[in-house]
Amino acid sequence: MDDMTRVAILLVKATPELPIVGTASGHAKLLGYDPQALRGMPLSLLCPLRQPDGRTSAETLEGMLAELQQAGSLSQHWSLLTRAGETRPHELHLTLTERDGEPQVAVCLVDISRMEFAEVLNHTKNELLEMVATGQPLQVVLTRLTTLIESQFEGLYSTVLLLDLDGRHVHVGVGPRMPAEYMQALDGLEIGPTVGSCGTAMFDDRLVIVDDIATHPLWTHYRGLALPYGFRACWSSPIHGPDRRVIGSFAMYYREVRRPSSEELAALNTVSHLAGIAIDQERRAEERRRAAQWLEEQVQQRTAELLATQDELVNSRKLAALGQLLAGIAHEMNTPLGNALLSASALRAGSASFAQRMADGAPLKRQELVDWVAQTATGTELVEQNVDRALRLVNRFKELTEGSGRAVRSRFDLREAVLQAWARVQSHLSVEHVQLACELPDGFMLHGYAEVLQQVLEQLLENACLHAFRNGRGGQIRIGAHRSAEDRLTLEVRDNGAGMPAADLARAFEPFFSTTFGQGGSGLGLFVAHSLASGMLGGSLELESQPGRGTVARLELPLRADAPLALAT
């Protein structure tokens, strides 16, 4: 149908039948008709019996003619039939005019099928990128993709085949409407220069159009596979990864001999591109899963080897915690870095598409540029957010590994250390709804690792702000201290917030345990505080909490000359 004009003008008599008296489309076919063949034909014969809203076309045209007598012109969406019986959406513009003393109607027909199809492709692209970005399984993504395209073309059967990592053998991806026996026969097939449409497309890395499977030489050895199911035409496009390597194919099958329209070729190109993004992300995710599994296996192996040489239960627990920590880091780093990589890949693919269109001299619409700017802004924001999350995880871990190397003993005021920790929390959190009541006296001087103590206090204060007073709930944090014995100091950080259920309280000091994953929480805050308190500071950290009654963090530290903290003289 590509030889048909997209905009045409008809002249019809202003009578109830609206007979066509002339066209202004030159020699181009209108809806598949030669212009001279339309003369004398009622306009209603170019329409389906009913419009999509259920109205009969003939009666609606009569009503439009009556309305036209009053208004002089009108416009509306309208469906027309091609000579082949295909329904196409149009914009119908009617203008009452006069010729040789007779009232006539100038009918301008604007074919908007390509515009609507372009909108469908754009919607499909956005939906599929969102599915990939949210980590939907590859089978689900590809099934949704092929189903959306099949709904746009009557009689279409589509498949996505995956090329093995060896670059030679085919594995079945999806084929929602294809016979199961046919898809099973394709699994494990070796590609080559005459292996049907898909095998050839992947082997030659080119678009393959076969209009008649029964006679085409590419199907000589495979006709007996396709013809029993009634398939006669098959067009296949290779699917590429980001490095332009062929990683699969997308095919369109029909049960009649035919060649593709421009819309079908556009669908081939779009679906192949989107499938490439989905398949590549699945392969990258699998690589990350294998790397994480390998790391976990290495940690477990190393932990087992070290445990065999340790006689003390304390050492074995430390090594087990190290294994859990390293495995958790590998797991948690995969998520933000994987999301950042996905966003970057989508931006790169979109940029390549724009660059190709500009290189081809294709016109760019303002709305396309506006949409691309919006997509770019969203993509870069996702990259920034996820890289920032990864950096925060790294910094949390560095606080543990670098604490002893940075710590310097000094003389400091305990109250001033608390206020400095609170200032740090205020600098990177919104805490206007939380009040701090510091009940420590001025001049309580200590000698020891002030920076380490401030880190612990900062973690406890931050934890209270994020969890006890989440969602903007207001409240108060009170900090006090007392000497529980001659050589012991107890610091209490007490809030009147939401409190913690028993299950969360029992796991509070576990690495990567958090009730706010996906909201900025890393699950390392209390783990870092507990590790520093029991390690560098030589003390202990305990939590006391009940839902609705707030939480008390109790930090007990030794105060001896040979301890990390001592009373300053």
Side-chain angles (χ1 to χ4, degrees):
M1 294 295 181
D2 287 338
D3 59 340
M4 296 189 299
T5 183
R6 296 288 170 173
V7 180
I9 296 178
L10 300 175
L11 293 176
V12 302
K13 287 186 178 180
T15 62
E17 292 78 15
L18 292 173
I20 300 172
V21 297
T23 69
S25 58
H27 298 290
K29 289 186 177 182
L30 174 63
L31 298 172
Y33 294 93
D34 293 325
Q36 55 270 27
L38 295 174
R39 292 183 179 275
M41 181 186 295
L43 183 59
S44 60
L45 291 184
L46 295 179
C47 309
L49 290 178
R50 293 184 179 275
Q51 292 297 307
D53 59 4
R55 297 178 299 169
T56 60
S57 296
E59 293 179 358
T60 305
L61 284 172
E62 288 186 17
M64 291 166 60
L65 179 61
E67 184 179 349
L68 195 62
Q69 304 290 341
Q70 302 296 324
S73 64
L74 59 89
S75 302
Q76 71 174 57
H77 287 283
W78 195 254
S79 291
L80 295 172
L81 280 178
T82 67
R83 189 174 183 180
E86 177 189 1
T87 301
R88 286 205 173 186
H90 281 71
E91 286 184 354
L92 195 65
H93 303 280
L94 306 180
T95 303
L96 189 62
T97 183
E98 185 176 303
R99 184 175 183 181
D100 298 331
E102 283 191 1
Q104 292 187 350
V105 179
V107 183
C108 179
L109 309 176
V110 181
D111 187 342
I112 60 173
S113 58
R114 285 184 176 173
M115 184 185 307
E116 291 189 351
F117 181 66
E119 292 176 356
V120 169
L121 288 185
N122 189 56
H123 172 75
T124 299
K125 179 192 298 184
N126 292 337
E127 180 176 346
L128 266 294
L129 288 177
E130 182 177 351
M131 291 180 71
V132 172
T134 54
Q136 295 293 315
L138 179 63
Q139 196 81 6
V140 174
V141 174
L142 295 181
T143 298
R144 179 58 176 161
L145 178 59
T146 51
T147 301
L148 283 171
I149 293 301
E150 286 176 344
S151 68
Q152 298 303 307
F153 301 103
E154 185 176 355
L156 170 63
Y157 296 77
S158 63
T159 65
V160 174
L161 301 181
L162 309 178
L163 191 58
D164 201 350
L165 294 177
D166 65 7
R168 296 174 53 196
H169 295 90
V170 170
H171 290 295
V172 172
V174 296
R177 301 183 62 204
M178 299 295 286
E181 297 82 2
Y182 180 81
M183 298 299 289
Q184 291 173 2
L186 298 179
D187 197 49
L189 197 68
E190 185 170 355
I191 65 175
T194 57
V195 183
S197 299
C198 294
T200 305
M202 286 186 274
F203 186 84
D204 290 346
D205 191 9
R206 65 180 177 89
L207 176 66
V208 174
I209 304 296
V210 172
D211 54 359
D212 189 354
I213 292 174
T215 61
H216 203 285
L218 293 183
W219 282 82
T220 300
H221 303 294
Y222 302 95
R223 293 185 188 121
L225 179 62
L227 293 179
Y229 297 104
F231 297 125
R232 294 299 302 273
C234 180
W235 321 316
S236 182
S237 173
I239 297 173
H240 297 101
D243 57 359
R244 298 301 299 169
R245 282 190 308 111
V246 176
I247 58 177
S249 68
F250 171 68
M252 303 175 78
Y253 289 80
Y254 282 95
R255 285 179 164 157
E256 69 263 6
V257 176
R258 56 173 293 186
R259 294 189 66 80
S261 65
S262 59
E263 287 87 354
E264 288 162 328
L265 287 174
L268 264 172
N269 180 66
T270 299
V271 174
S272 300
H273 171 66
L274 293 175
I277 293 177
I279 295 171
D280 178 65
Q281 292 306 312
E282 174 64 20
R283 288 188 173 184
R284 291 175 183 266
E286 178 62 24
E287 290 175 359
R288 292 193 295 270
R289 285 192 291 268
R290 290 178 180 176
Q293 181 180 359
W294 178 87
L295 176 61
E296 185 173 355
E297 290 173 354
Q298 294 299 307
V299 169
Q300 291 175 351
Q301 178 182 349
R302 183 59 178 161
T303 301
E305 293 173 354
L306 291 172
L307 285 174
T309 65
Q310 302 299 317
D311 297 325
E312 298 181 6
L313 180 61
V314 171
N315 288 336
S316 67
R317 287 178 176 175
K318 287 182 178 179
L319 291 172
L322 176 61
Q324 181 184 9
L325 176 62
L326 291 177
I329 290 172
H331 174 74
E332 293 302 322
M333 290 291 285
N334 276 335
T335 300
L337 293 180
N339 288 339
L341 180 60
L342 171 61
S343 299
S345 296
L347 289 172
R348 179 175 59 183
S351 297
S353 176
F354 264 72
Q356 185 61 46
R357 291 186 62 184
M358 289 189 290
D360 294 341
L364 294 175
K365 297 182 180 180
R366 177 182 178 87
Q367 187 58 45
E368 291 178 320
L369 293 174
V370 171
D371 291 343
W372 171 240
V373 170
Q375 292 173 16
T376 301
T378 301
T380 53
E381 183 179 0
L382 283 173
V383 171
E384 291 175 352
Q385 290 175 350
N386 283 282
V387 171
D388 180 66
R389 181 182 173 188
L391 289 175
R392 290 201 305 272
L393 285 170
V394 171
N395 287 333
R396 288 289 198 193
F397 187 61
K398 287 173 65 179
E399 289 175 0
L400 287 176
T401 59
E402 296 181 357
S404 59
R406 293 184 303 158
V408 176
R409 293 179 67 90
S410 62
R411 187 174 184 272
F412 65 95
D413 187 316
L414 179 59
R415 178 183 176 86
E416 185 64 26
V418 169
L419 295 179
Q420 288 180 7
W422 178 243
R424 290 180 184 176
V425 173
Q426 289 178 306
S427 68
H428 62 268
L429 290 182
S430 176
V431 294
E432 294 82 3
H433 57 295
V434 181
Q435 293 181 344
L436 176 70
C438 184
E439 300 174 345
L440 298 172
D442 291 325
F444 196 133
M445 304 303 295
L446 297 174
H447 188 273
Y449 299 126
E451 181 66 21
V452 177
L453 179 60
Q454 286 180 10
Q455 287 184 41
V456 174
L457 292 170
E458 181 181 346
Q459 300 288 2
L460 296 177
L461 291 168
E462 179 177 311
N463 192 73
C465 292
L466 290 176
H467 299 277
F469 307 113
R470 68 175 63 176
N471 301 324
R473 171 180 174 176
Q476 185 182 67
I477 302 174
R478 304 172 67 87
I479 296 184
H482 64 273
R483 295 178 62 179
S484 54
E486 186 65 26
D487 60 351
R488 306 292 290 181
L489 173 68
T490 300
L491 270 170
E492 289 188 349
V493 180
R494 184 184 301 269
D495 67 67
N496 60 354
M500 301 170 64
D504 291 349
L505 187 64
R507 303 184 58 193
F509 297 128
E510 291 182 11
F512 296 103
F513 171 75
S514 175
T515 59
T516 58
F517 273 134
Q519 305 173 36
S522 67
L524 284 175
L526 287 179
F527 172 73
V528 170
H530 185 271
S531 299
L532 293 176
S534 59
M536 285 291 296
L537 297 180
S540 64
L541 177 62
E542 297 179 350
L543 293 179
E544 178 182 313
S545 183
Q546 291 185 16
R549 296 188 178 183
T551 300
V552 179
R554 192 167 287 110
L555 177 63
E556 186 168 305
L557 303 170
L559 289 178
R560 300 188 309 270
D562 60 344
L565 289 179
L567 291 174
T569 58

